[in-house]
Amino acid sequence: MGYPSDDTLIDLQSAYDGAGIQAMLDQLDRELVGLRPVKARIREIAALLVVDRARQQVGLETTPPSLHMSFTGRPGTGKTTVAERMSKILHGLGYVRKGHMVTATRDDLVGQYIGHTAPKTREMLKKAMGGVLFIDEAYYLYRPENERDYGAEAIEILLQVMEGNRDDLVVIFAGYKERMDIFYQSNPGLSSRVANHIDFPDYSAAELLAIAQLILAAENYRFSEEASLAFAEYIQRRMQLPFFANARSIRNAIDRARMRQANRLFSRMGSPLTKLDLMTLEAVDITISRVFAGELEGSDPARPLS
């Protein structure tokens, strides 16, 4: 079979459209507020894959690009959601067979005794083959202070499979940036196989309020005008307290506000309610939070911050 001549026209737009990438990126824009540098990098990777596939079609042989990735950032910044979208993009372009994502932590990969780690790690890799293996808090795989730890064995198996199956498996390592930097410095063989490093920034207060509005709309809730102002103040206060987890903390706060709203409406059981009553979170559902009293997370383990 011959290949097209050097002056054959290639329609990259058709390849891009056929893979459904723009629809996935648009969905990412709708679901995730902000993260402009992250979304820009995802588009760059998608462009590389489209061009690489076009080169193959005209006989320009090339080594498959290394697509293993590192996602760094604090909790609640969208790393898992972006990894799920990336698996679908890779599938749309034919780089992985299934396009699913398997999430793993140290406990899923590292055994407690000799001979236990290899089968655990290989089982997770088998489940992820044809898609993406997302390893959260990956730095816990490496514990040099414990000479009897088996994390190094799991890393060695990961390295072998990452190199040998780069055309059917993408591994994404995720965690706090500072710890991930140390993890890569301690494992240079791993660092050399991770070509795409993407840092997920913290959200601004305005972005967090926009995220809250998206969450409410998806659940058929709304803030009253006063509640919106109260929640904006809640965000400013919560961002200054320990264990803040960006969008995750916002979702938790809304879940607790919904519970308070339910209790408030339940106390009016003898009075008729409107559809708007059932939808609306009021300022009192927000300001009753202990955040407004300046309490710190962890001062009483039996009472999580609300």
Side-chain angles (χ1 to χ4, degrees):
M1 174 182 172
Y3 289 109
S5 62
D6 290 350
D7 58 355
T8 298
L9 297 179
I10 305 299
D11 188 352
L12 291 179
Q13 186 67 51
S14 293
Y16 185 83
D17 293 341
I21 295 173
Q22 190 57 53
M24 292 180 226
L25 293 175
D26 290 343
Q27 184 181 7
L28 197 64
D29 277 332
R30 290 193 302 271
E31 293 180 351
L32 285 181
V33 172
L35 297 181
R36 233 181 283 178
V38 173
K39 293 173 182 176
R41 188 63 185 278
I42 297 301
R43 287 184 172 87
E44 289 173 358
I45 293 172
L48 168 66
L49 299 181
V50 170
V51 171
D52 188 68
R53 184 50 47 92
R55 285 171 53 87
Q56 290 181 33
Q57 291 171 351
V58 297
L60 296 172
E61 295 300 326
T62 183
T63 303
S66 175
L67 297 175
H68 303 305
M69 304 179 193
S70 173
F71 287 2
T72 53
R74 295 209 295 171
T77 48
K79 297 186 294 296
T80 303
T81 301
V82 171
E84 290 171 344
R85 294 292 170 271
M86 179 55 68
S87 68
K88 290 179 170 57
I89 289 173
L90 294 170
H91 178 60
L93 286 165
Y95 274 82
V96 292
R97 289 175 292 113
K98 300 178 182 178
H100 67 304
M101 185 179 86
V102 173
T103 300
T105 63
R106 173 188 165 87
D107 289 344
D108 299 307
L109 300 166
V110 181
Q112 301 296 317
Y113 49 84
I114 294 175
H116 193 207
T117 294
K120 287 189 75 169
T121 302
R122 294 192 187 283
E123 178 62 24
M124 292 305 297
L125 286 164
K126 181 180 178 182
K127 289 180 181 178
M129 202 61 67
V132 167
L133 177 62
F134 182 81
I135 304 178
D136 201 13
E137 296 184 309
Y139 32 75
Y140 287 131
L141 291 176
Y142 184 67
R143 290 180 174 172
E145 72 282 357
N146 184 354
E147 61 182 22
R148 299 185 64 182
D149 185 72
Y150 303 111
E153 182 182 355
I155 292 172
E156 186 60 35
I157 295 170
L158 284 169
L159 286 173
Q160 294 170 9
V161 175
M162 287 167 64
E163 187 63 28
N165 298 82
R166 62 161 61 190
D167 58 344
D168 198 33
L169 175 71
V170 171
V171 180
I172 300 178
F173 299 91
Y176 287 98
K177 179 171 174 49
E178 295 78 11
R179 295 184 186 180
M180 290 299 289
D181 288 345
I182 295 172
F183 175 62
Y184 290 127
Q185 289 168 13
S186 303
N187 297 275
L190 184 62
S191 179
S192 66
R193 286 171 174 80
V194 179
N196 302 284
H197 292 256
I198 304 177
D199 190 38
F200 287 64
D202 287 337
Y203 290 108
S204 68
E207 288 172 337
L208 290 168
L209 184 58
I211 288 170
Q213 298 286 5
L214 285 176
I215 294 171
L216 289 173
E219 301 293 338
N220 295 306
Y221 280 88
R222 63 184 288 275
F223 282 139
S224 68
E225 186 175 343
E226 294 78 10
S228 183
L229 294 173
F231 200 79
E233 183 179 352
Y234 172 93
I235 290 171
Q236 294 286 355
R237 290 170 177 261
R238 184 66 186 88
M239 289 175 74
Q240 305 307 314
L241 297 177
F243 307 107
F244 179 65
N246 286 279
R248 195 175 303 166
S249 290
I250 297 304
R251 177 170 288 281
N252 290 342
I254 289 175
D255 285 346
R256 290 188 288 265
R258 288 173 56 188
M259 191 176 300
R260 297 189 199 105
Q261 182 233 32
N263 285 329
R264 175 172 55 80
L265 296 178
F266 197 74
S267 69
R268 294 173 46 193
M269 199 177 345
S271 305
L273 298 172
T274 67
K275 179 179 179 180
L276 200 57
D277 290 329
L278 295 173
M279 293 175 61
T280 305
L281 298 181
E282 300 289 354
V284 66
D285 302 323
I286 311 299
T287 57
I288 199 173
S289 166
R290 291 188 295 122
V291 167
F292 286 87
E295 292 193 39
L296 297 180
E297 181 101 47
S299 57
D300 182 354
R303 300 179 64 209
L305 193 60
S306 61

